[in-house]
Amino acid sequence: MSCIDDDLIQKYVDGETNSSEREYVEAHLSACRKCSEKTENRKLLTTAIKKSLRLSAKEAVIIPPFSPSSQQTSKNSHTLTRLSFFIPAAAVILFIILFADRRKNENMMVIEPNTGSSVDIDANRPVSQFPLVLYYIDDEGNTYEYSVK
Amino acid sequence: MNSFEEIYAENYRTMFRVAARMVGNIEDVSDILQEIFIDFFNKTSSGKIIQHPKSWLYRATINKCVDNHRSRKPLQDLDSANYIQAGTELVEARELNEIIVLAFSKLKPKEKLLATVYSEGLSYKEISEVTGIKFSSVGKMLSRTLKKMEIELKKQKYELY
């Protein structure tokens, strides 16, 4: 009779064999000292491993109280975390918008057709032939006027 | 069906042990468990029926631990999972415990997972359900994993028998 393999011994030790496998293993173990010893050793090993890995201190693990309110706390903390990212980003964007706007106002150049009463406008002429006046407003607020003839 | 409080009290320690062995850092373990139980609470209180709470919690714990594991590089040495104090155990027993934990720390992640749920007394069918390992492969993988640990024990010259 050939010896049984380790996988089957493991299944037998764990009580996971079906009835025919169990009968086969038991018949073999009663006749084979080597496999019988191997099975006993495997039982010792699995017991020791289970015990050591489980030794995890049932007493040492303290179960923290759980209440539905902790769920709310968690949601709030998530919101706060998101806000903490959002607020600086919003501040930077706002700063850029304001700064860009100010710069635009500082050196403003206005180009407009001179429609003042001093110049006659012939509405039948093409727009390209309208007289143009350029107003330039510098940083200090002085206005310069340029006429383009 | 048990109330949430009963399920929480019955399963917290088991899930803590499983997560502690997979993650190692106890603070992370507490955070992971809090997230899992809040998720469980939200699901059940919104009317969803979870047929097998224990299996659900095992799967959630394993998945969260795997996510945590991926997000942490380099991976922490799981030796730190040996947070357990044997207390009044005999010196020999404590040594054996330490050697077994050392052998455990040398396993591959999937083997660690297998050894962890196995040590919690799950059947092969349950192991297959919670780990996703094929039922027909559980015995074979388990046998190899324990063999690896046995070789490590022998390397440490520990005479178990």
Side-chain angles (χ1 to χ4, degrees):
Chain A
M1 196 191 289
S2 62
C3 282
I4 46 182
D5 65 22
D6 289 352
D7 300 351
L8 191 53
I9 289 178
Q10 187 64 47
K11 273 177 86 177
Y12 177 73
V13 167
D14 292 328
E16 293 277 351
T17 43
N18 60 34
S19 55
S20 60
E21 283 173 331
R22 189 165 56 248
E23 278 171 27
Y24 169 74
V25 171
E26 282 168 358
H28 181 80
L29 293 183
S30 61
C32 176
R33 197 172 164 180
K34 193 181 152 202
C35 283
S36 183
E37 274 178 12
K38 209 194 241 183
T39 306
E40 283 308 308
N41 290 345
R42 188 42 74 106
K43 273 184 189 166
L44 280 171
L45 177 75
T46 51
T47 309
I49 288 175
K50 277 185 176 180
K51 197 179 160 200
S52 284
L53 293 183
R54 267 187 69 88
L55 196 74
S56 343
K58 279 194 171 181
E59 297 76 20
V61 180
I62 298 160
I63 303 179
F66 182 93
S67 66
S69 59
S70 63
Q71 171 202 4
Q72 200 58 45
T73 315
S74 167
K75 276 192 176 172
N76 284 343
S77 72
H78 278 301
T79 315
L80 279 176
T81 313
R82 277 187 208 130
L83 273 179
S84 69
F85 286 107
F86 175 75
I87 290 172
V92 169
I93 290 168
L94 196 64
F95 178 77
I96 291 169
I97 290 169
L98 289 176
F99 184 69
D101 223 24
R102 209 169 150 224
R103 278 180 63 87
K104 204 163 65 181
N105 288 334
E106 273 175 359
N107 282 311
M108 194 169 66
M109 187 178 273
V110 182
I111 301 177
E112 59 179 27
N114 190 342
T115 55
S117 56
S118 61
V119 181
D120 288 333
I121 299 287
D122 182 356
N124 292 324
R125 290 165 68 189
V127 174
S128 59
Q129 291 176 22
F130 278 15
L132 275 176
V133 179
L134 297 179
Y135 293 99
Y136 173 70
I137 304 164
D138 69 7
D139 292 354
E140 288 157 16
N142 302 318
T143 307
Y144 303 92
E145 185 181 320
Y146 302 96
S147 291
V148 180
K149 303 288 180 188
Chain B
M1 175 134 179
N2 292 343
S3 69
F4 174 81
E5 286 73 18
E6 285 170 329
I7 291 169
Y8 181 71
E10 276 171 19
N11 293 287
Y12 189 90
R13 286 194 177 101
T14 307
M15 298 310 146
F16 191 97
R17 281 198 299 268
V18 171
R21 267 182 246 122
M22 290 179 72
V23 174
N25 181 333
I26 300 304
E27 282 172 17
D28 283 355
V29 171
S30 301
D31 290 347
I32 285 171
L33 286 199
Q34 192 183 351
E35 281 177 33
I36 289 166
F37 279 103
I38 285 173
D39 199 14
F40 184 83
F41 179 84
N42 287 341
K43 281 206 161 52
T44 49
S45 56
S46 67
K48 191 174 177 188
I49 295 165
I50 294 174
Q51 292 288 349
H52 304 288
K54 193 162 190 153
S55 296
W56 189 96
L57 289 170
Y58 262 113
R59 279 197 300 273
T61 307
I62 290 165
N63 290 339
K64 284 260 184 227
C65 290
V66 170
D67 288 348
N68 179 281
H69 177 123
R70 282 187 191 135
S71 65
R72 276 178 182 274
K73 283 178 184 173
L75 179 65
Q76 291 185 349
D77 192 338
L78 288 193
D79 279 353
S80 58
N82 186 18
Y83 61 96
I84 307 144
Q85 294 300 317
T88 55
E89 293 280 320
L90 294 172
V91 173
E92 295 82 29
R94 194 185 296 176
E95 276 173 11
L96 172 62
N97 180 46
E98 280 166 11
I99 295 168
I100 287 176
V101 173
L102 176 74
F104 174 82
S105 73
K106 295 192 173 178
L107 295 175
K108 290 178 186 166
K110 200 154 193 175
E111 294 166 339
K112 276 180 184 149
L113 169 61
L114 186 61
T116 299
V117 290
Y118 176 68
S119 70
E120 290 296 334
L122 266 60
S123 69
Y124 284 12
K125 189 170 176 290
E126 289 167 323
I127 291 175
S128 167
E129 278 171 10
V130 301
T131 61
I133 298 169
K134 262 168 58 183
F135 174 69
S136 55
S137 309
V138 173
K140 198 174 286 181
M141 258 191 88
L142 199 53
S143 173
R144 283 178 200 166
T145 303
L146 298 180
K147 185 87 189 162
K148 260 185 158 179
M149 291 182 77
E150 187 182 19
I151 290 168
E152 190 57 39
L153 289 181
K154 282 182 180 161
K155 254 195 225 170
Q156 300 293 328
K157 308 206 185 308
Y158 190 86
E159 292 297 328
L160 189 63
Y161 22 79

